[in-house]
Amino acid sequence: MKITILTLFPDMFKGVFDESIIKRAIDNKKVSIEIINFRDFTNDPHHKVDDTPYGGGVGMVLACQPIVDALKSCKTKDSKVILLTPAGKVYKESMAYDFAKCEHLILICGHYEGFDERITEYVDMELSIGDYVLTGGEIPAMVLVDSITRLLPGVINEESHLEDSFNKDYMLDYATYTKPEVYDGKRVPEVLLSGDHKKVDEWRKNNAYERTKTRRPDLLEKM
């Protein structure tokens, strides 16, 4: 799989993609990540990529030309183009599974006051990682790359992500514990020490439901 990121700040991705699971996935050729600075494509003699908004208002708006030209330089018939914007659909785990099946993803990172609306005509999907505003699309792009890469075959144990939160019946994952059995007077639930797999499975199912009911009751409405 190939992921291309169009951004004004390519150096922001260095530390994130040079560590842990993403780095191993790159090293093992499970994914290739290409970072393109769309400022390199501007026709403006002063290397500008933005301008003031028509109709007035604060902030600067990213212009069509550099982004569209950068997009054309890397897009193929197999590419799926995603514009990262607060106006997009909210990202879900089910989308990560769909994106993990793609041959080529192109993520466009916004900045400043936003995009010229005409840019949306060149993309397949507008996506948001939540109902809040960030300074740019670089951090959302990192979120997508991490959540998608871990789902690629051979990157992590498949059973690990099949049991994740949001992946089964829209519920959060059950609580987990490790050694020691007692820490600061707080004990691991006895059932997890019993060795009875049937009882453990039942406890985990009930625990997942109760955690979801308490912490994210909105998820239960989707069941």
Side-chain angles (χ1 to χ4, degrees), residues 143-217:
V143 169
L144 262 70
V145 171
D146 187 288
S147 60
I148 293 166
T149 298
R150 65 190 299 277
L151 300 179
L152 298 176
V155 173
I156 65 173
N157 187 302
E158 184 179 14
E159 186 177 353
S160 296
H161 63 75
L162 290 178
E163 295 295 328
D164 284 338
S165 294
F166 312 114
N167 202 30
K168 297 177 68 176
D169 301 323
Y170 294 102
M171 289 199 294
L172 301 180
D173 203 357
Y174 50 77
T176 57
Y177 300 83
T178 188
K179 298 177 180 65
E181 289 183 25
V182 182
Y183 176 75
D184 197 24
K186 301 172 180 61
R187 300 189 61 86
V188 174
E190 289 293 334
V191 64
L192 300 180
L193 309 175
S194 68
D196 188 325
H197 297 299
K198 184 177 180 180
K199 288 184 178 179
V200 169
D201 288 344
E202 183 178 353
W203 180 89
R204 286 176 169 170
K205 184 181 297 184
N206 291 335
N207 182 262
Y209 177 80
E210 291 301 324
R211 280 163 61 90
T212 306
K213 182 179 178 181
T214 301
R215 303 180 185 191
R216 290 291 306 277

Side-chain angles (χ1 to χ4, degrees), residues 86-99:
K89 292 182 178 179
V90 177
Y91 189 47
K92 303 291 185 183
E93 179 73 0
S94 58
M95 296 181 187
Y97 273 91
D98 289 339
F99 295 154

Side-chain angles (χ1 to χ4, degrees), residues 101-113:
K101 299 172 185 176
C102 294
E103 291 289 328
H104 183 208
L105 281 180
I106 300 176
L107 310 178
I108 306 177
C109 304
H111 228 80
Y112 310 126
E113 188 62 20

